[in-house]
Amino acid sequence: METVEKECGALGGLFQAIVNDMKCSYPVWEDFSAKATKLHSQLRTTVLAAVAFLDAFQKVADMATNTRGATRDIGSALTRMCMRHRSIEAKLRQFTNALMESLIMPLQDKIEDWKKTANQLDKDHAKEYKRSRHEIKKKSSDTMKLQKKARKVFSVQNSIASIGIIF
């Protein structure tokens, strides 16, 4: 009986530890989500600044291209450089959008689900654990009563046998 209670207690404690770990991890996940959202915001701002810079840079390149002499070659080189930087800006924009759509939004949705699931698991476990312990105690009590009764019957039979009465 004691070993069953110990095993029951150990398993219940393990389950409770897991649920508590889940509950304690919420602030970490929420902090990560908040920081990721801030990163997304800053990256969007960076993309906007890069676009403005590249527009101004393109104007300088166009001005240099439309002049006479050796400056025209410099203008062509600046235009090529601007085009390369625009592709970098496009990749940064793509990364920024992927960060929001593939990480931040799904994570925020899952955090709420995790909270609800963990709380429901905790409630269900507490209820089931309590019911199971009650059943084990009841069965144990019934077993003890039957063992006591069997000992009594056995001792009565031994007493009768020692007297010499045969059934």
Side-chain angles (χ1 to χ4, degrees):
M1 173 58 191
E2 288 179 26
T3 58
V4 172
E5 284 189 34
K6 285 181 183 178
E7 288 177 11
C8 222
L11 287 175
L14 176 64
F15 185 86
Q16 200 61 46
I18 291 169
V19 169
N20 286 340
D21 286 347
M22 286 175 63
K23 287 181 177 181
C24 291
S25 70
Y26 298 145
V28 174
W29 286 110
E30 287 174 343
D31 181 52
F32 176 75
S33 177
K35 298 299 193 276
T37 302
K38 188 172 183 174
L39 174 64
H40 175 260
S41 174
Q42 294 298 319
L43 286 174
R44 266 191 15 228
T45 303
T46 301
V47 166
L48 293 175
V51 167
F53 170 76
L54 290 174
D55 287 344
F57 191 74
Q58 185 63 54
K59 287 178 186 175
V60 170
D62 290 345
M63 183 185 69
T65 302
N66 293 331
T67 60
R68 296 185 186 147
T71 313
R72 180 173 272 179
D73 293 335
I74 293 172
S76 295
L78 290 176
T79 299
R80 283 192 306 274
M81 193 163 93
C82 184
M83 296 303 284
R84 288 184 186 123
H85 280 83
R86 288 213 188 264
S87 70
I88 293 170
E89 174 257 324
K91 295 284 185 194
L92 185 59
R93 185 183 303 268
Q94 185 181 12
F95 171 72
T96 302
N97 290 337
L99 182 67
M100 179 55 89
E101 294 168 4
S102 300
L103 177 68
I104 297 169
M105 290 173 62
L107 183 63
Q108 287 174 344
D109 292 341
K110 291 293 180 187
I111 288 173
E112 292 304 316
D113 289 343
W114 290 338
K115 278 183 183 179
K116 290 175 186 173
T117 301
N119 286 333
Q120 190 60 44
L121 277 173
D122 196 21
K123 286 178 187 175
D124 292 347
H125 172 259
K127 193 160 103 177
E128 186 67 25
Y129 184 73
K130 198 176 200 180
R131 187 186 62 75
S132 295
R133 283 187 62 95
H134 178 71
E135 281 183 25
I136 289 171
K137 284 183 180 181
K138 187 175 184 312
K139 300 267 186 203
S140 177
S141 174
D142 291 348
T143 303
M144 297 289 270
K145 286 178 187 176
L146 288 173
Q147 285 175 346
K148 206 179 216 184
K149 193 174 188 180
R151 273 189 241 124
K152 212 183 237 185
V153 168
F154 184 69
S155 70
V156 168
Q157 283 178 348
N158 282 342
S159 298
I160 292 173
S162 67
I163 298 176
I165 303 174
I166 302 174
F167 288 103

